């Protein structure tokens, strides 16, 4: 059986787990995922007596005070990853007990020639330096003595597509080893495979702490950053304050309210101060969650959540009225503001802004199409509408072909009420026009 055919016997991922996955909103960093899996209470599967690679002759597996002994009898998982047969038995065994990294072997077979220089795998590649300066083992890395390459254990087990050298043919570019290995361990696919490994460990009743510790620390770090970012954005946007300034440089007096608030918090928060010190001026292309791209996405997510809450309230109370008006914004783009008025369950009437519709046009038929499409997109039934209010322009208030008449054709119960503010403005304008002295002044 070839290595390729062995890969085809890949175990499918478990999609029906009782996990809640929170994906934070950086489009360039989907890998920040927090697994909250408190409801997995599955009993560990029965495992055959199989061989292991450590120095002990027996392994004691303790779960719920029940201890089972796995004797060293059958070698079903070879030491060299090139010989692994990827199937359920192999995955279950490695999830329960890990695998041998083979880092204590000599690396003579890893020789690779660059022009007139020979390079070899070094044991330092099995360690990585954390942000706080500490070093930890790359527990996912495994050396193949037969092929003279290194593989990624979790990706070798769970990566169907073989998207990387670490899961397909093995990696041996020792000249660029540190950067390529770091790039792989920060990739979305690698962290997804680590999560799959962790979820599978949960179903088997154990968690390989050493293998997932690095991922957990990474998740917790960026989660703490996001908590501070979201709180800052929420505070500023709820008060209608602009976030962006003339630049996005920490220490500048023109960097806007958002970065100013982050700098203020960092004076009392050592964690945020350290994060800004390390990533604040790293520039584009580096993940720091401090850029305008991030807080704009956070604002959009908040808006989507609030809008959905409003729609749910409208559907609950059933009856509503609509208020529509158009005006150009500061960039001279005409936009239609859409407001819905309804009575809450406690009897208090309330108006909720729903959305801006840019470039809808000024003709009654164009406004009519925009209003109906918007209501249909949010599954708000026009049959439950009981009122409409616009200004006194003919395209809005016309009794034959205006917007109000076209809406009334869909539902005769929708009464038209002219906007009192616009009506008062017309009264004042006409009163001024009736005074000759005012006109000739």
């Amino acid at each position: 059986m070839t290595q390729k055919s062995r890969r085809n016997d890949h175990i499918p991922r478990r999609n029906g787990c009782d996990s809640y996955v929170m994906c934070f909103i950086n489009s360039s960093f989907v890998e920040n995922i927090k697994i909250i899996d408190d409801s997995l209470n599955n009993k560990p599967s029965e495992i055959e007596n199989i061989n292991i690679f450590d120095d002990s002759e027996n392994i004691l597996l303790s779960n719920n005070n029940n201890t089972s002994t796995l004797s060293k009898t059958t070698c079903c998982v070879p030491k060299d990853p090139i010989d692994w047969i990827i199937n359920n038995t192999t995955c279950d065994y490695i999830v329960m007990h890990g695998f041998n990294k083979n880092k204590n072997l000599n690396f003579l077979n890893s020789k690779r020639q660059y022009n007139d220089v020979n390079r070899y795998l070094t044991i330092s590649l099995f360690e990585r330096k954390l942000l706080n300066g500490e070093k930890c083992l790359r527990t996912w890395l495994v050396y193949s003595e037969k092929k003279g390459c290194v593989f990624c254990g979790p990706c070798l087990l769970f990566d169907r597509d073989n998207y990387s050298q670490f899961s397909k043919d093995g990696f041996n570019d020792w000249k660029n080893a540190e950067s390529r290995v770091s790039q792989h361990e920060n990739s979305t696919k690698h962290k997804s495979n680590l999560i799959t490994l962790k979820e599978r460990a949960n179903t088997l009743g154990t968690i390989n702490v050493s293998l997932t510790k690095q991922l957990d620390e990474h998740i917790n770090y960026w989660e703490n950053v996001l908590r501070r970012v979201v709180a800052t954005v929420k505070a500023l946007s709820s008060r209608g304050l602009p976030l962006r300034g003339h630049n996005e440089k920490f220490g500048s007096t023109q960097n806007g309210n958002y970065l100013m608030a982050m700098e203020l918090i960092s004076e009392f928060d050592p964690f945020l101060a350290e994060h800004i010190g390390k990533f604040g001026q790293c520039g584009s292309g580096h993940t720091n969650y401090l850029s305008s791209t991030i807080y704009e996405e956070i604002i959009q997510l908040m808006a989507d959540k609030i809008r959905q809450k409003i729609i749910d309230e409208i559907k609950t109370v059933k009856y509503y009225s609509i208020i529509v008006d158009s005006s150009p914004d500061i960039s001279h783009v005409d936009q239609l503001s859409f407001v819905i008025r309804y009575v809450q369950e406690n009897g208090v009437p309330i108006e909720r802004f729903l959305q801006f519709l840019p470039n809808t046009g000024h003709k009654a038929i164009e406004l009519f199409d925009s209003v109906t499409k918007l209501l249909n997109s949010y599954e708000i039934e026009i049959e439950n509408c009981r009122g409409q209010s616009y200004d006194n322009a003919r395209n809005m208030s016309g009794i034959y072909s205006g917007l109000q008449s076209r809406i009334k054709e869909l539902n005769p119960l929708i009464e038209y009420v002219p906007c009192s503010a616009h009506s008062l403005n017309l009264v004042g304008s006409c009163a001024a026009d009736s005074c000759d002295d005012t006109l000739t002044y």
Side-chain angles (χ1 to χ4, degrees):
M1 181 181 295
T2 64
Q3 187 69 14
K4 183 177 181 180
S5 62
R6 293 189 187 110
R7 301 269 168 79
N8 293 334
D9 189 22
H10 196 285
I11 168 177
R13 292 185 181 178
R14 183 170 59 90
N15 295 323
C17 62
D18 297 329
S19 302
Y20 175 61
V21 182
M22 292 168 40
C23 298
F24 299 104
I25 55 166
N26 187 357
S27 59
S28 64
F29 195 45
V30 184
E31 56 264 32
N32 284 315
I33 303 174
K34 179 176 175 60
I35 300 294
I36 305 176
D37 202 350
D38 296 331
S39 58
L40 287 174
N41 295 317
N42 299 334
K43 295 181 178 180
S45 305
E46 295 295 331
I47 301 178
E48 300 176 355
N49 292 330
I50 50 183
N51 190 16
I52 57 175
F53 304 137
D54 60 7
D55 297 331
S56 60
E57 295 296 325
N58 297 291
I59 281 185
L60 296 180
L61 173 63
S62 178
N63 184 58
N64 296 331
N65 297 326
N66 294 326
T67 303
S68 60
T69 302
L70 301 179
S71 62
K72 188 174 181 179
T73 57
T74 306
C75 181
C76 66
V77 182
K79 291 185 177 181
D80 199 303
I82 201 67
D83 296 327
W84 289 1
I85 300 177
I86 309 301
N87 53 29
N88 283 334
T89 303
T90 303
C91 291
D92 286 346
Y93 173 77
I94 291 179
V95 164
M96 291 288 290
H97 307 294
F99 49 82
N100 197 322
K101 285 65 176 182
N102 300 328
K103 64 178 182 178
N104 295 324
L105 302 177
N106 66 68
F107 301 135
L108 295 178
N109 291 343
S110 65
K111 174 182 176 182
R112 181 170 176 178
Q113 187 171 359
Y114 294 86
N115 295 330
D116 297 331
V117 179
N118 294 328
R119 294 181 182 270
Y120 298 85
L121 169 67
T122 60
I123 196 170
S124 63
L125 193 63
F126 289 86
E127 293 183 346
R128 70 185 294 260
K129 191 173 182 179
L130 301 179
L131 296 175
N132 58 7
E134 295 181 2
K135 290 184 178 181
C136 69
L137 292 176
R138 287 189 169 108
T139 52
W140 52 269
L141 198 63
V142 53
Y143 171 63
S144 171
E145 187 177 21
K146 292 183 178 180
K147 202 165 184 180
C149 302
V150 291
F151 290 86
C152 172
C155 293
L156 193 61
L157 292 174
F158 301 107
D159 182 16
R160 292 183 177 182
D161 303 327
N162 294 328
Y163 86 106
S164 153
Q165 282 183 291
F166 291 90
S167 60
K168 185 179 181 181
D169 301 320
F171 175 81
N172 65 346
D173 183 9
W174 313 127
K175 185 177 180 180
N176 306 299
E178 188 62 38
S179 60
R180 289 289 305 279
V181 169
S182 178
Q183 180 183 2
H184 175 77
E185 67 185 350
N186 289 316
S187 66
T188 304
K189 195 71 174 180
H190 171 73
K191 294 185 178 181
S192 176
N193 291 328
L194 276 181
I195 291 173
T196 303
L197 181 69
K198 184 172 182 178
E199 290 180 350
R200 192 174 181 88
N202 286 336
T203 62
L204 294 175
T206 183
I207 299 178
N208 194 332
V209 178
S210 62
L211 192 60
T212 58
K213 181 180 179 181
Q214 175 185 343
L215 179 62
D216 290 337
E217 291 176 350
H218 203 66
I219 290 173
N220 292 333
Y221 180 88
W222 292 108
E223 181 186 354
N224 287 327
V225 174
L226 275 174
R227 281 192 180 131
R228 290 156 174 81
V229 171
V230 171
T232 303
V233 173
K234 182 179 177 182
L236 294 174
S237 59
S238 63
R239 287 157 179 80
L241 296 175
L243 276 70
R244 184 180 296 187
H246 293 289
N247 58 57
E248 295 186 31
K249 297 179 179 179
F250 282 96
S252 172
T253 57
Q254 297 181 340
N255 56 11
N257 292 328
Y258 170 70
L259 293 184
M260 178 274 295
M262 298 298 287
E263 290 174 333
L264 178 61
I265 296 173
S266 66
E267 292 184 9
F268 307 95
D269 185 352
F271 174 83
L272 186 58
E274 182 181 1
H275 178 74
I276 292 176
K278 290 181 178 180
F279 300 100
Q281 308 291 358
C282 61
S284 61
H286 297 80
T287 303
N288 58 14
Y289 287 156
L290 301 174
S291 66
S292 58
T293 303
I294 294 301
Y295 65 65
E296 285 174 358
E297 289 191 33
I298 293 177
I299 292 174
Q300 186 60 52
L301 289 173
M302 289 179 176
D304 294 340
K305 195 73 174 178
I306 293 173
R307 186 181 296 112
Q308 187 58 48
K309 178 67 174 178
I310 294 172
I311 293 171
D312 292 341
E313 284 186 358
I314 295 171
K315 292 179 179 180
T316 300
V317 300
K318 190 174 182 179
Y319 299 111
Y320 64 92
S321 299
I322 59 175
I323 303 173
V324 177
D325 190 22
S326 63
S327 62
D329 60 10
I330 194 172
S331 60
H332 305 290
V333 176
D334 193 69
Q335 53 186 3
L336 190 72
S337 58
F338 194 93
V339 178
I340 289 188
R341 181 181 176 90
Y342 57 94
V343 179
Q344 294 178 306
E345 292 182 326
N346 58 5
V348 178
I350 192 169
E351 292 181 0
R352 297 289 194 190
F353 167 77
L354 202 59
Q355 186 174 335
F356 280 122
L357 298 175
N359 295 321
T360 57
H362 293 284
K363 295 181 179 180
I365 184 63
E366 295 173 339
L367 295 170
F368 172 76
D369 290 339
S370 299
V371 171
T372 53
K373 286 179 181 178
L374 180 63
L375 292 174
N376 291 332
S377 65
Y378 294 123
E379 298 180 350
I380 300 175
E381 298 180 1
I382 192 68
E383 291 78 9
N384 295 328
C385 185
R386 291 297 181 266
Q388 52 182 329
S389 180
Y390 322 116
D391 58 24
N392 295 283
R394 183 170 296 180
N395 62 337
M396 307 292 281
S397 61
I399 60 174
Y400 297 111
S401 60
L403 175 60
Q404 66 102 355
S405 63
R406 294 176 183 272
I407 293 289
K408 212 162 188 177
E409 289 176 1
L410 296 179
N411 183 0
L413 298 176
I414 303 178
E415 294 294 335
Y416 169 65
V417 179
C419 176
S420 57
H422 283 85
S423 299
L424 182 61
N425 182 66
L426 290 176
V427 170
S429 178
C430 292
D433 291 341
S434 64
C435 180
D436 295 336
D437 294 335
T438 303
L439 294 176
T440 59
Y441 177 72

